[in-house]
Amino acid sequence: MRCATSGEPPVPPPVPSNFSLPAARTAHRAAARRLSIWLLSAALLITTAWPVSAQSPLLFPEQTPRVALDPGHGGKDLGARGPTGLLEKNVCLALARNLALRLETRYQVILTRSDDYQVELRQRTAIANQAEADLWVSLHTGAGYAHAARGIVLYYYADAGQRQPVDDMERMVPADDPQQWNQTQKRHQPASLELATALKKRLDSVPDAPQCSIRGAPLAVLEGADMPAVLIEIGNITHPATEARLAALQDGGWLAGPIVDGIQDFLTRHQKSRGY
Ligand SMILES: [Zn+2]
């Protein structure tokens, strides 16, 4: 092969005797067509192998549901302590972080605390309200010394005189002052109970899972929440056997899956009612 740096001008290839301009154009177009087809195939292959969504940043449309997770306690507020020293605040934070990782592929996730610091009860509720969260799940462990207190409890808000769900919710909301802080959650009570039921259904479907019950209670952290809200007590940390079970749940364990599924079941049913 002739070297381009040898100083001699490059010699053009010989023109074939049957050369004509239209024939050259046809050959050029055919080559261009082959190149286009090759490039299109390559682009299709790349698109198939690396979906655009997998490489794009997680930018959510406004309609994407928002889930508020509230890891109980934090900072100087340790919560309950297990017999070997396991702290409620640490169990709740680890579980909340794990749930957030699983949920944020589909939803916008708001954590009322993302590390070990203290947040007041009303401030937690305000964080979820200001983020216009579509649902709220507060995470706690139970504490107590009764032998029976080993199960999971799903709490919805009910005031002191109304611990059981009622059929006619309209009568509970004063028409002249529906925005009072202590009335806010009552407006969502049927949906909160429905959220608790969706979670219980998934938790009950896990073989050998601890018994799961639903209770109404006047819990301060729920009363001002302006969205369906549930507090989950995931187990009695002061019971030795349960403490060991909770210690193993800090990476989500068997518990994270049914909680995520229950949230998803609820949001799928209510996605169209967000009001945009
Ligand atoms: Zn607690």
Side-chain angles (χ1 to χ4, degrees):
M1 177 180 288
R2 200 178 280 273
C3 177
T5 58
S6 63
E8 298 177 35
V11 178
V15 176
S17 57
N18 60 346
F19 176 80
S20 70
L21 195 55
R25 280 191 186 133
T26 303
H28 176 75
R29 283 175 187 152
R33 204 159 40 239
R34 280 196 298 276
L35 181 63
S36 301
I37 291 169
W38 185 88
L39 286 173
L40 184 62
S41 304
L44 283 172
L45 184 66
I46 289 169
T47 306
T48 307
W50 293 285
V52 173
S53 59
Q55 294 189 326
S56 300
L58 289 173
L59 296 176
F60 293 100
E62 187 69 2
Q63 293 86 348
T64 303
R66 297 168 195 168
V67 177
L69 298 176
D70 174 46
H73 311 279
K76 289 186 287 185
D77 176 7
L78 308 179
R81 183 195 294 267
T84 70
L86 186 66
L87 296 178
E88 178 180 3
K89 67 168 186 173
N90 293 337
V91 174
C92 297
L93 180 60
L95 181 59
R97 285 175 171 168
N98 186 272
L99 290 171
L101 283 176
R102 296 172 188 239
L103 288 164
E104 67 186 5
T105 57
R106 298 194 57 175
Y107 306 118
Q108 299 179 70
V109 179
I110 299 109
L111 286 168
T112 57
R113 72 174 174 102
S114 57
D115 216 323
D116 185 19
Y117 50 84
Q118 195 167 1
V119 183
E120 297 302 323
L121 290 185
R122 285 200 171 192
Q123 191 180 344
R124 293 168 185 264
T125 316
I127 290 169
N129 287 352
Q130 287 162 8
E132 298 181 28
D134 292 284
L135 68 79
W136 156 290
V137 174
S138 190
L139 299 166
H140 287 255
T141 73
Y145 296 94
H147 285 292
R150 296 189 193 182
I152 296 173
V153 184
L154 297 156
Y155 287 100
Y156 65 94
Y157 182 81
D159 64 28
Q162 186 245 334
R163 299 205 175 220
Q164 295 300 319
V166 297
D167 295 331
D168 185 2
M169 295 308 303
E170 295 301 315
R171 284 185 299 173
M172 297 185 57
V173 184
D176 56 340
D177 190 11
Q179 295 301 325
Q180 273 186 359
W181 180 267
N182 63 2
Q183 300 295 329
T184 306
Q185 176 55 204
K186 285 185 184 177
R187 292 187 289 120
H188 299 280
Q189 193 185 47
S192 296
L193 186 54
E194 185 185 336
L195 173 59
T197 305
L199 290 162
K200 176 174 164 50
K201 188 175 176 187
R202 289 290 189 168
L203 289 163
D204 284 344
S205 71
V206 178
D208 301 324
Q211 185 183 3
C212 180
S213 57
I214 297 177
R215 294 180 199 163
L219 300 176
V221 74
L222 298 182
E223 74 172 349
D226 197 9
M227 73 280 303
V230 162
L231 183 148
I232 308 179
E233 268 188 7
I234 58 175
N236 183 354
I237 198 170
T238 53
H239 190 286
T242 310
E243 182 196 31
R245 180 170 63 78
L246 296 179
L249 281 180
Q250 296 192 60
D251 64 349
W254 69 271
L255 185 61
I259 292 177
V260 167
D261 290 342
I263 289 172
Q264 190 169 309
D265 291 344
F266 179 85
L267 287 174
T268 301
R269 275 201 296 275
H270 290 271
Q271 204 148 359
K272 288 177 185 168
S273 63
R274 187 162 165 77
Y276 289 102

